[in-house]
Amino acid sequence: MDILLHITTPAAAPVAAALGRARSAKCATWAAFLTNDGVKALDDAGFVAASKGAARVAACEHSWDLHMTGECPVERGSQTVNSALMAEADRVISL
């Protein structure tokens, strides 16, 4: 995978959406892992739309349970999933 977006705050949603769209337009593979209150980025329509081009999007299950309600719209994962994604990525962008 070319890039992992590591999203730790909901304020990063517009930036992550723009980066994701740019990577998809260049046919680059990218993924996102959302943790802390960054899981709230899944309430941002622009990020959700951009994430359709991602190879994988996962949210920290503990963070989801702490900050959100209802069914998680992406893969629920542990920090082990986060570590695996980081190992697979050529570059990590922390937002």
Side-chain angles (χ1 to χ4, degrees), residues 25-64:
K26 296 288 185 183
C27 297
T29 57
W30 66 280
F33 187 83
L34 298 89
T35 191
N36 194 27
D37 65 343
V39 295
K40 294 179 182 179
L42 292 168
D43 279 340
D44 183 279
F47 175 73
V48 171
S51 70
K52 302 288 187 227
R56 190 171 174 191
V57 179
C60 171
E61 58 194 354
H62 175 73
S63 296
W64 181 267

Side-chain angles (χ1 to χ4, degrees), residues 4 9 12 17-18 20 22 33-34 39 44 48 53 60-61 65 67 80 85 88-91 93:
L4 171 66
T9 175
F33 187 83
L34 298 89
V39 295
D44 183 279
V48 171
C60 171
E61 58 194 354
D65 292 341
H67 297 286
T80 303
L85 287 169
E88 293 172 26
D90 293 336
R91 291 183 173 80
I93 299 175

Side-chain angles (χ1 to χ4, degrees), residues 4 6 33 78-89:
L4 171 66
H6 190 254
F33 187 83
S78 65
Q79 290 299 324
T80 303
V81 170
N82 182 22
S83 295
L85 287 169
M86 289 214 179
E88 293 172 26

